[in-house]
């Protein structure tokens, strides 16, 4: 787009905008280019106050349907390129959010290296990729974007040509031209196998090379080799809560593709190591253990006879090739002629590699550092033979039905669902004490039961093939009682993964996700630890995990009550776990949007209550967040540094608040949460007509038609807000620029709170409250009541629409005003200039997209049948989501 009109100070945005302008002009024609430019500069003028804010852009009316589609595509690409440029400038990176700084800071606070080492000994940091459907972009689009990022990096180095001899700037323009001609919308629905494949590429291209390299850096910062404590995980192929397409076959596919990729990578590394480690035993001391490996290798080539490392590597390669073949059923890409036994486990492979490492580094010097061999050992320690630990996840209601059916068919209990909690627990414990199984190959079960049993059996197969690290946790959604957890043990038992008297091979993990369940969580866990064997098994395993759901608690109780309930639950759980002497591991189920727990992971982890992290944290990484954080090796390194640094700080820094301040702040927060809760529930659940207002005002129905995920948009046919999945709820409010889940109720609560000085103090000093307000502020800056009012115009019942929208708009202004007062600012984002510039420069580009979307929604809902209208709506949803970044 034209340089003159691009208001950004970011030179990369200017450069990429100019390239995109060239491409549009060349391939879309001069007229389209000029129209696009006109609309863009008019929006910018309006945003700068140079034109009447209420006037609708006249340029939009002039667009034909074809032009509209092209225009939306152009704006979407501009937003994507602008995001890329910003990411490069490090707008997203927080200062000090890396391990070296964290260690320095801890040392400065008198926290010794021993304390850090002790923490890391049992630490576990796990970003867990999920297939939650909020990524609107096709993989092909993301791949082009990443290629542009690489080329921009090359350009930074001053290179004028790519290694292939193409001028760098031309290569960038070429890539943008390809983007312009790539269809942004999927034609076909997405299958679980596609999701598995996408995740696999992140592991192959990013996690596998990046993590071992990061450890080398961390080793320098820490002054010693830390254990391999980062273990990326995945839900893809294992999370079947509300997704009937995830089956035992999905589980098998996810793990076998992971294994294939991981082991092929190790084989490549070994091949390269074989070339590198040309050390002759005549010129260096070689440990006898290496000689033994060399002798056992069956590599008798005369040319290598004095090269024990190479010979040992031939043997290791042969054994690993045999493992590859045993696990995948086919030969590796580069087979070997040596016949060998497969490794029994990744640990056995790592042990052989360590033998080489000890010998080659034995004399100290440059060969002692973590070179390629050290990186390979890291990779094997981290990714094993399975690549990513895959979690199982199902809804407690399904388990209840399945276990009920098994009990009934076995003649144990006719109507399990009719039992009260005590009756269920007694019955399940009895069953778990007996070695007899409930299921029979001859009984006739429902599809659901058959499928659940098959999943459990596939998990048992996976343990046998890839080892116990392949599946460690079984998440129980909507967990409300200990029987919900015991039901999982019953299913595990049917597959041989639970044997009476022994710890289950897979840990049952409760997911608490409504406000009431978060309040009940500590009591449920106390009861859980009171059951026979549970505490001992958790100690044996090293920890018990609890998962906390951010989105559903937000939908249930509003932003403030959700974050407060999560905080309170974490603290209360910490105390219950301490009483039981069991190490606690929290798993945070959060998405990208603030209404789903989004915002900076660094700040979020640091803001966790004292004593709730202790080196252990798992966090979901979902949808558009995955490409943003892990799209390129550089961004992945930045984000893995940030969560690791935050975990160190949250675990080891002394609390920043005195006990009395903490108590004062918490009392205030409890009151704020109560008021916000009432206000939020009053609007969302107790207002007549709210449901249809929401359905007509936002593109919720149209979002359900996007082909962005394998799972259906809703679990049930009901249109109650309670039954809606949290993702479309948050997503649709973002499109309409209301972003209600990120702020509603907060303004009322803050304004009604008497002691404003106390609120100011909390905003200054409390690591929990400051990011809570910071995220809220970002949401307010991205929402726009002027545009939202136009969406409200889509609602048929005008009277209800005016009344409900009036409440929302008043709430928004109230929230903004009180936020400014409490944070002592005269406008939003005054104190965060980086974010302020980014949002202020970008939001004008969203406005025309919103206006076009509203127009298209009107025509669509009025029954116009032209397929370009539906396509335009979907494109506009994509474009707005891309421009807002964390919308889903
Ligand atoms: P879920 O996730 O619908 O799978 O529970 C909710 C979310 O991540 O927002």
């Amino acid at each position: 787009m034209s340089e003159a009109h691009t208001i950004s100070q970011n030179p990369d945005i200017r450069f990429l905008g100019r390239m995109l302008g060239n491409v549009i002009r060349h391939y879309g024609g001069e007229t389209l280019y000029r129209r696009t430019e006109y609309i863009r500069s008019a929006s910018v003028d309006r945003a700068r106050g140079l034109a009447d804010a209420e006037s609708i852009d006249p340029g939009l009316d002039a667009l034909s349907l074809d032009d509209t589609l092209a225009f939306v595509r152009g704006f979407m690409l501009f937003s994507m390129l602008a995001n890329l440029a910003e990411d490069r400038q490090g707008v997203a990176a927080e200062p000090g959010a890396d391990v070296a700084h964290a260690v320095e800071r801890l040392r400065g606070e008198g926290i010794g290296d021993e304390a850090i080492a002790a923490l890391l000994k049992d630490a576990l940091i796990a970003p867990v990729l999920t297939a939650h459907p909020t990524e609107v972009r096709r993989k092909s689009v993301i791949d082009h974007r990443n290629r542009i990022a690489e080329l921009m990096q090359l350009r930074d180095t001053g290179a004028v040509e790519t290694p292939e001899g193409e001028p760098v700037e031309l290569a960038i323009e070429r890539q943008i031209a390809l983007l312009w001609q790539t269809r942004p919308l999927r034609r076909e629905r997405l299958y679980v196998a596609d999701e598995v494949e996408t995740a696999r590429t992140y592991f192959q291209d990013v996690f596998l090379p990046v993590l071992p390299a990061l450890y080398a850096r961390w080793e320098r910062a820490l002054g010693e080799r830390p254990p391999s404590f980062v273990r990326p995980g995945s839900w893809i192929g294992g999370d079947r809560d509300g997704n009937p397409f995830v089956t035992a076959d999905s589980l098998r596919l996810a793990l076998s593709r992971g294994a294939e990729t991981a082991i092929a990578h190790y084989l490549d590394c070994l091949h390269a190591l074989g070339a590198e480690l040309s050390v002759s035993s005549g010129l260096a001391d070689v440990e006898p253990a290496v000689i033994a490996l060399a002798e056992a290798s069956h590599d008798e080539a005369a040319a290598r006879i004095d090269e024990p490392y190479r010979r040992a590597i031939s043997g290791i390669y042969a054994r690993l090739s045999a493992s590859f073949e045993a696990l995948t059923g086919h030969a590796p890409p580069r087979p070997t002629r040596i016949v060998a036994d497969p490794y029994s486990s990744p640990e056995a492979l790592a042990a052989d590699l360590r033998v080489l490492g000890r010998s080659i580094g034995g004399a100290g010097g440059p060969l002692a550092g973590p070179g390629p061999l050290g990186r390979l050992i890291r990779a094997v320690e981290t990714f094993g033979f399975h690549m990513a630990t895959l979690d199982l996840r199902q809804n407690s209601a399904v388990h209840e039905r399945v276990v009920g059916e098994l009990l009934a068919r076995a003649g144990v209990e006719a109507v399990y669902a009719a039992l009260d909690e005590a009756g269920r627990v007694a019955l399940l414990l009895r069953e778990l004490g007996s070695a007899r199984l409930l299921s029979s190959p001859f009984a006739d079960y429902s599809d659901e039961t058959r499928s659940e049993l098959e999943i459990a059996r596939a998990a048992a197969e996976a343990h046998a093939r890839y080892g116990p690290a392949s599946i460690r946790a079984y998440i129980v959604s909507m967990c409300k009682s200990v029987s919900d957890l015991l039901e999982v043990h019953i299913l595990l038992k049917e597959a041989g993964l639970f044997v009476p008297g022994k710890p289950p091979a897979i840990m049952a993990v409760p997911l608490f996700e409504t406000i009431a369940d978060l309040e009940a969580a500590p009591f449920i866990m106390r009861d859980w630890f009171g059951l026979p064997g549970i505490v001992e098994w958790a100690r044996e395993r090293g920890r018990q995990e609890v998962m906390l759901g951010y989105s559903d608690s937000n939908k249930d109780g509003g932003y403030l009550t959700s974050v407060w309930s999560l905080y309170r639950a974490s603290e209360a759980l910490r105390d219950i776990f301490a009483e039981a002497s069991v190490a606690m591991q929290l798993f945070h189920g959060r998405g990208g949007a603030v209404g789903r727990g989004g915002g900076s992971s660094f700040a979020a982890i640091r803001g966790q209550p004292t004593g709730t992290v202790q080196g252990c944290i798992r966090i979901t990484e979902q949808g558009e967040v995955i490409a943003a954080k892990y799209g390129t090796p550089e961004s992945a390194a930045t984000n893995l540094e940030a969560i690791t640094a935050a975990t160190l700080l949250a675990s080891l820094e002394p609390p920043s608040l005195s006990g009395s301040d903490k108590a004062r702040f918490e009392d205030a927060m409890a009151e704020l949460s109560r008021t916000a809760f009432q206000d939020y529930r009053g609007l969302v659940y107790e207002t007549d007509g709210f449901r249809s207002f929401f359905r007509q005002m936002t593109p919720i129905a149209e979002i359900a038609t996007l082909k962005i995920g394998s799972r259906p948009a809703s679990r049930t046919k009901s249109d109650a807000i309670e039954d809606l999945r949290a993702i479309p709820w948050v997503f649709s409010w973002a499109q309409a620029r209301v972003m209600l889940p990120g702020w509603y109720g907060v303004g009322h609560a803050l304004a009604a709170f008497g002691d404003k000085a106390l609120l100011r103090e909390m905003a200054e000093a409390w690591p929990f409250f400051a990011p809570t307000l910071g995220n809220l502020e970002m949401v307010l800056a991205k929402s726009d009541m002027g545009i939202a009012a136009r969406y409200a115009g889509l609602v048929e019942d005008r009277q209800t629409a005016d009344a409900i929208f009036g409440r929302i708009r008043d709430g928004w202004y109230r929230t903004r005003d009180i936020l400014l007062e409490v944070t002592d600012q005269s406008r939003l984002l005054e104190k965060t200039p980086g974010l302020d510039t980014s949002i202020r420069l970008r939001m004008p580009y969203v406005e025309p997209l919103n206006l076009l979307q509203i127009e298209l929604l009107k025509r669509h809902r009025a029954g116009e049948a032209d397929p370009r209208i539906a396509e335009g709506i979907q494109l506009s949803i994509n474009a707005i989501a891309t421009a807002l970044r964390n919308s889903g």
Side-chain angles (χ1 to χ4, degrees):
M1 302 201 176
S2 96
E3 196 158 356
H5 280 137
T6 308
I7 53 174
S8 163
Q9 279 109 43
N10 180 327
D12 287 352
I13 298 187
R14 268 208 305 276
F15 169 72
L16 291 169
R18 178 158 54 81
M19 294 275 154
L20 177 62
N22 294 345
V23 164
I24 294 179
R25 178 183 259 149
H26 191 93
Y27 295 98
E30 189 66 27
T31 315
L32 176 69
Y33 171 75
R34 290 204 174 281
R35 291 218 167 112
T36 305
E37 267 310 304
Y38 175 78
I39 296 168
R40 203 173 57 79
S41 56
S43 309
V44 170
D45 285 350
R46 259 201 316 282
R48 286 161 145 186
L50 300 178
D52 174 9
E54 287 303 309
S55 70
I56 300 195
D57 206 318
L60 292 178
D61 296 338
L63 295 177
S64 67
L65 263 181
D66 283 335
D67 282 352
T68 299
L69 298 187
F71 167 83
V72 172
R73 219 149 39 80
F75 261 44
M76 178 175 69
L77 292 184
F78 178 76
S79 296
M80 201 169 88
L81 295 172
N83 293 345
L84 185 160
E86 272 182 13
D87 288 348
R88 285 168 40 75
Q89 242 197 2
V91 170
E94 282 127 312
D98 60 78
V99 170
H101 275 97
V103 169
E104 219 172 278
R105 189 183 167 114
L106 290 170
R107 286 179 184 147
E109 286 167 5
I111 292 154
D113 287 5
E114 321 72 57
I116 301 178
L119 183 86
L120 292 180
K121 194 165 76 52
D122 293 317
L124 173 78
I125 298 178
V128 179
L129 306 195
T130 81
H132 281 80
T134 59
E135 172 61 88
V136 291
R137 295 167 302 169
R138 293 174 59 202
K139 183 70 171 45
S140 319
V141 170
I142 297 175
D143 287 346
H144 286 307
R145 179 245 174 245
N146 291 344
R147 178 72 187 129
I148 296 169
E150 277 168 24
L151 289 164
M152 290 294 283
Q153 227 180 350
L154 189 62
R155 184 171 172 264
D156 288 345
T157 65
V160 284
E161 275 189 6
T162 66
E164 296 76 30
E166 195 178 6
V168 175
E169 298 204 349
L170 183 64
I172 294 173
E173 199 168 331
R174 192 172 162 276
Q175 212 70 40
I176 295 177
L178 289 172
L179 261 179
W180 174 250
Q181 298 191 346
T182 298
R183 172 173 35 76
L185 297 174
R186 277 195 196 88
R187 288 169 66 91
E188 299 294 324
R189 56 165 293 227
L190 206 59
Y191 293 90
V192 180
D194 302 317
E195 293 168 340
V196 165
E197 202 45 35
T198 301
R200 195 194 64 79
T201 60
Y202 280 99
F203 279 95
Q204 173 178 277
D205 302 340
V206 178
F207 288 108
L208 265 175
V210 168
L211 262 173
L214 272 181
Y215 276 110
R217 195 192 284 171
W218 295 343
E219 199 165 322
R220 288 195 298 278
L222 294 163
E224 64 175 15
R225 184 185 193 275
S228 300
F229 55 86
V230 180
R231 270 192 255 126
S234 171
W235 273 16
I236 304 169
D239 169 19
R240 55 196 193 284
D241 175 12
N243 190 345
F245 303 111
V246 175
T247 60
D249 280 342
S250 320
L251 189 77
R252 292 190 192 103
L253 178 73
L255 285 167
S256 72
R257 294 293 287 142
E260 189 168 340
T261 309
I263 302 176
H265 175 81
Y266 306 154
L267 287 170
D268 281 347
C269 293
L270 277 172
H271 184 73
L273 264 182
E276 180 180 275
L277 293 185
S278 52
V279 174
S280 162
S281 51
L283 299 172
D285 291 335
V286 178
E287 284 197 3
V290 176
I291 306 287
L293 279 176
E295 293 299 318
S297 72
H298 302 292
D299 178 357
E300 305 301 344
R304 286 193 286 276
I305 215 69
D306 67 330
E307 295 173 350
Y309 291 100
R310 282 185 162 167
R311 292 179 63 213
I313 287 169
S314 298
I316 297 173
Y317 190 96
R319 291 195 64 188
L320 191 57
S321 296
S323 308
F324 183 98
E325 195 152 350
L327 293 179
T328 66
H330 58 94
R334 199 186 291 108
T336 166
R337 271 196 296 275
I338 300 176
V339 178
D341 289 336
Y343 280 109
S344 57
S345 67
E347 290 74 33
L349 165 65
D352 277 359
L353 295 172
R354 284 191 206 104
V355 165
L356 305 187
R358 267 194 302 275
S359 176
I360 195 105
L367 291 177
L373 175 60
R375 288 199 292 276
L376 175 57
I377 294 172
R378 276 295 177 196
V380 175
E381 287 177 359
T382 305
F383 304 102
F385 285 167
H386 61 282
M387 185 76 98
T389 295
L390 188 65
D391 294 345
L392 305 179
R393 179 191 183 216
Q394 182 55 288
N395 201 292
S396 59
V398 174
H399 294 148
E400 187 182 311
R401 285 197 295 272
V402 169
V403 168
E405 189 174 338
L406 290 174
L407 289 166
R409 291 281 187 285
V412 176
E413 176 63 49
V415 193
Y416 172 69
L419 298 181
D420 63 8
E421 175 64 8
R424 289 180 187 197
V425 171
L427 170 59
L428 297 173
L429 287 177
R430 229 176 15 254
E431 278 304 316
L432 292 169
S434 144
R436 168 192 46 71
L437 300 183
L438 288 170
S439 59
S440 153
F442 308 110
D444 188 17
Y445 296 112
S446 63
D447 288 348
E448 182 173 68
T449 295
R450 263 203 309 279
S451 162
E452 292 299 301
L453 284 174
E454 215 197 314
I455 288 267
R457 290 178 189 134
E461 257 168 55
H463 268 210
R465 285 172 88 82
Y466 310 107
S470 57
I471 303 175
R472 295 172 188 271
Y474 191 137
I475 317 281
V476 183
S477 297
M478 290 290 165
C479 180
K480 296 182 182 300
S481 59
V482 294
S483 64
D484 289 340
L485 295 171
L486 288 174
E487 286 162 6
V488 168
H489 286 183
I490 296 277
L491 294 173
L492 294 178
K493 186 182 140 200
E494 294 301 310
L497 290 165
F498 176 85
V499 176
K502 295 224 181 97
I506 294 176
M507 170 177 30
V509 174
L511 165 51
F512 299 114
E513 47 188 334
T514 63
I515 302 296
D517 292 347
L518 285 167
E519 278 166 8
F523 304 102
I524 296 173
M525 291 318 285
R526 200 182 48 202
D527 291 350
W528 180 237
F529 290 144
L531 297 180
I534 297 293
V535 163
E536 291 70 26
W537 296 340
R539 287 191 200 135
E540 213 168 300
R541 195 189 297 121
R543 50 183 65 122
Q544 165 72 50
E545 180 170 280
V546 172
M547 182 165 189
L548 304 174
Y550 285 62
S551 322
D552 279 278
S553 57
N554 180 302
K555 182 161 76 69
D556 189 25
Y559 177 60
L560 210 58
T561 304
S562 162
V563 294
W564 181 237
S565 305
L566 291 161
Y567 179 99
R568 297 289 297 164
S570 307
E571 280 204 327
L573 285 166
R574 172 198 64 200
D575 298 344
I576 296 289
F577 273 69
E579 257 169 47
S581 303
V582 171
M584 175 171 85
Q585 176 173 302
L586 291 183
F587 185 5
H588 300 268
R590 52 203 293 264
V594 168
R596 294 176 51 233
S600 148
S601 301
F602 183 70
I605 297 172
R606 289 200 69 192
Q608 293 299 312
T610 307
T612 59
V613 179
Q614 301 307 328
C616 289
I617 193 158
R618 293 211 302 153
I619 317 173
T620 52
E621 300 285 20
Q622 322 185 342
E624 75 284 6
V625 174
I626 297 179
K629 287 190 176 171
Y630 304 105
T632 62
E634 295 71 31
S635 62
T638 305
N639 284 291
L640 290 165
E641 283 271 7
I643 54 177
T644 306
T647 304
L648 285 176
L649 294 171
S651 306
L652 293 171
E653 274 194 311
S656 57
L657 291 184
S658 70
S660 63
D661 280 349
K662 181 169 182 284
R664 277 189 312 128
F665 292 175
E666 289 182 352
D667 284 348
M669 192 58 210
E671 187 183 327
L672 292 170
S673 165
R674 267 195 305 276
T675 325
F677 181 76
Q678 278 160 7
D679 196 32
Y680 173 83
R681 296 280 313 181
L683 177 77
V684 173
Y685 294 97
E686 289 152 22
T687 302
D688 284 342
F690 184 83
R691 208 186 285 188
S692 48
F693 169 84
F694 162 66
R695 295 214 169 252
Q696 292 178 23
M697 171 174 177
T698 69
I700 174 87
E702 292 75 13
I703 285 169
T705 67
L706 287 178
K707 299 182 182 77
I708 58 172
S710 69
R711 80 180 192 188
S714 61
R715 288 197 180 93
T716 63
K717 294 214 168 12
S718 140
D719 72 346
I721 308 290
E722 290 87 337
D723 295 328
L724 186 67
R725 287 200 94 129
I727 285 175
W729 166 251
V730 173
F731 203 110
S732 50
W733 283 119
Q735 292 281 317
R737 303 291 296 281
V738 180
M739 297 173 163
L740 183 123
W743 59 268
Y744 195 83
V746 185
H748 180 65
L750 294 178
F753 192 80
D755 188 350
K756 301 290 187 299
L758 176 56
L759 295 180
R760 261 182 234 118
E761 215 186 315
M762 288 159 64
E764 276 285 307
W766 195 7
F768 160 75
F769 200 56
T772 298
L773 293 188
N775 287 333
L776 170 90
E777 189 175 354
M778 178 182 70
V779 169
L780 291 179
K782 288 187 175 181
S783 48
D784 184 317
M785 285 303 114
I787 297 173
R790 295 188 195 280
Y791 278 91
L794 291 168
V795 179
E796 282 162 17
D797 175 349
R798 293 312 313 152
Q799 215 179 343
T800 317
D802 289 346
I804 297 180
F805 186 69
R807 274 168 79 181
I808 293 177
R809 190 178 39 212
D810 292 350
W812 189 91
Y813 283 107
R814 195 180 308 126
T815 307
R816 186 199 60 184
D817 293 347
I818 187 74
L819 179 81
L820 294 179
E821 186 186 334
V822 168
T823 55
D824 194 21
Q825 301 181 96
S826 59
R827 60 177 172 78
L828 290 174
L829 302 177
E830 191 180 12
K831 292 185 177 169
T832 37
L835 189 60
D836 182 37
T837 317
S838 157
I839 292 183
R840 253 178 333 113
L841 296 182
R842 303 283 299 291
M843 287 308 109
Y845 295 76
V846 194
E847 186 179 344
L849 296 170
N850 285 126
L851 298 179
L852 284 173
Q853 183 177 80
I854 293 169
E855 217 25 61
L856 292 167
L857 285 170
K858 270 190 203 148
R859 292 172 64 176
H860 186 59
R861 292 177 185 181
E864 273 194 55
D866 191 323
R868 288 173 301 177
I869 294 182
E871 186 183 344
I873 293 173
Q874 294 202 334
L875 262 181
S876 69
I877 294 173
N878 273 31
I880 294 168
T882 304
L884 295 174
R885 302 211 73 165
N886 45 11
S887 62

